[in-house]
Amino acid sequence: MVASTPEKGALVSQAPAQLTLTFSEPVEIEHVSVELYDTHALPVPLQKPRIMPGNASGLVVDLPAMKPGGYTVLYRLLSEDGHPVTGSYTFSIGERLIQPRPPMAEGHSQSDPLPARLIRLRAVTEGALLVGAGCFWIWQLLIWRGYSFHSGITARFMRVGMLFVLAALFLQALFYYGTISSTDSSWAWSSPFFLSLLAQCMVLLLLLVPGMVQGWYLLLSIFLIAIQAASGHVWGLDPWWMALLLRLLHLFGIALWLGTLLVLLLSLWKNKLAAWNHSPSFRPVMLTLLLFSSLAVAVSGMLMTAVQTNWEAIISSQSGWSLLLAGKTTLLLIMLLFALRQHLRWRGQGILPVQSLLAWELFFGLIAIVLGVWMSQSAYPLPPADISH
């Protein structure tokens, strides 16, 4: 969610009667906090904000009589996907600019380390979930076709991984709840992002139930990624269903791609790939999975960008989100080059994939996930026509 605000330190000759804030997404009025502080960092009493008439993305706050001087506006709200959005700006009333004293308002700490902590936890959990789910799907496919690893080792590996992810998800939900509830505890329970974390914890607990049929675990692992797809910027985009479908395709493509890479690495490590390579069905299946998943990631990524913003805004803004997108795109291109080289050698000459190249491709994919998580926590650039003042 992006806020359209006056330039920092704007000068107005007369005291305004209203304060307006315009955002890039519709605003939930129940989860909005707007505060005003004078030159001496003292709070100025305000009426409750209300939605701008005819614009669900705008806020209006009536202002009391104000003396000449410098003022600071602090705002805090939830975007439609449940991420907390905070910001501030200053302005002066009178004939000269006056820099107000920075207020120390509750919930607006300028040195809060939580966003970075959330990004790290989200990167770990989302990366583990995507790779783990993709690896599980490929394992099931190989088992159905008669190729299998040692079942006991596989089961223990998956169980330890799920316990680790469950602990990381719980910590993430705990930190997020602590941030949101510092203003109003009801905000967290209205956040799709927070609810998705709890839903993922519940699904992981169900996955840990032993003795169920394999279809149960397969269905729950798919549902786990679907929940993750519904926890991003999608609810603030128009049309939201298109954004959700593209994000589903993107995450499922990443899971299949990285899961296939991990299975190939493990099969090389266990000296099974050489034997499987002589099977007439193994190589075509794996190559098809790699080709489909890489194309799904590339195409869905471009379409997601087109739905969310446009290339003109990305290039002209030079924002942090744009730089992250450039980094993620570069990593995906490198992965595609590695995959193409391996694909041609394996398909044409029957030469087994190189273990080091597979490891680097998997590593670059994990870094791309980190950048993608960072992007989901950052404000994306809007086309000039979509920003109103």
Side-chain angles (χ1 to χ4, degrees), residues 156-179:
R156 286 195 296 271
F157 172 78
M158 297 298 292
R159 190 172 295 273
V160 170
M162 285 189 289
L163 286 172
F164 170 78
V165 174
L166 181 61
L169 278 172
F170 180 77
L171 282 176
Q172 191 177 342
L174 188 64
F175 291 145
Y176 184 84
Y177 181 82
T179 304

Side-chain angles (χ1 to χ4, degrees), residues 102-185:
M104 295 299 296
E106 182 181 358
H108 290 89
S109 172
Q110 298 181 7
S111 59
D112 185 7
L114 192 58
R117 190 184 304 172
L118 273 176
I119 290 173
R120 290 193 293 268
L121 276 173
R122 284 195 65 190
V124 169
T125 54
E126 291 193 15
L129 284 174
L130 290 173
V131 177
C135 191
F136 178 71
W137 301 337
I138 303 303
W139 262 329
Q140 292 305 306
L141 178 62
L142 293 178
I143 290 172
W144 291 337
R145 289 180 169 269
Y147 313 99
S148 62
F149 292 92
H150 191 284
S151 58
I153 296 176
T154 301
R156 286 195 296 271
F157 172 78
M158 297 298 292
R159 190 172 295 273
V160 170
M162 285 189 289
L163 286 172
F164 170 78
V165 174
L166 181 61
L169 278 172
F170 180 77
L171 282 176
Q172 191 177 342
L174 188 64
F175 291 145
Y176 184 84
Y177 181 82
T179 304
I180 299 301
S181 62
S182 63
T183 299
D184 186 346
S185 60

Side-chain angles (χ1 to χ4, degrees), residues 5 33 39 68 173 178 226 229 233 244 263 272 283 302 354:
T5 61
S33 171
T39 304
H233 282 305
L244 180 58
V263 168
K272 291 180 175 289
R283 186 169 37 174
M302 290 187 292
V354 180

Side-chain angles (χ1 to χ4, degrees), residues 65-77:
M66 300 164 61
K67 300 178 181 179
Y71 292 86
T72 301
V73 176
L74 301 179
Y75 57 88
R76 177 184 177 91
L77 69 159

Side-chain angles (χ1 to χ4, degrees), residues 208-226:
L208 289 169
V209 176
M212 305 297 288
V213 296
Q214 287 301 109
W216 166 262
Y217 302 110
L218 185 62
L219 181 63
L220 287 179
S221 65
I222 293 174
F223 187 50
L224 198 63
I225 305 302

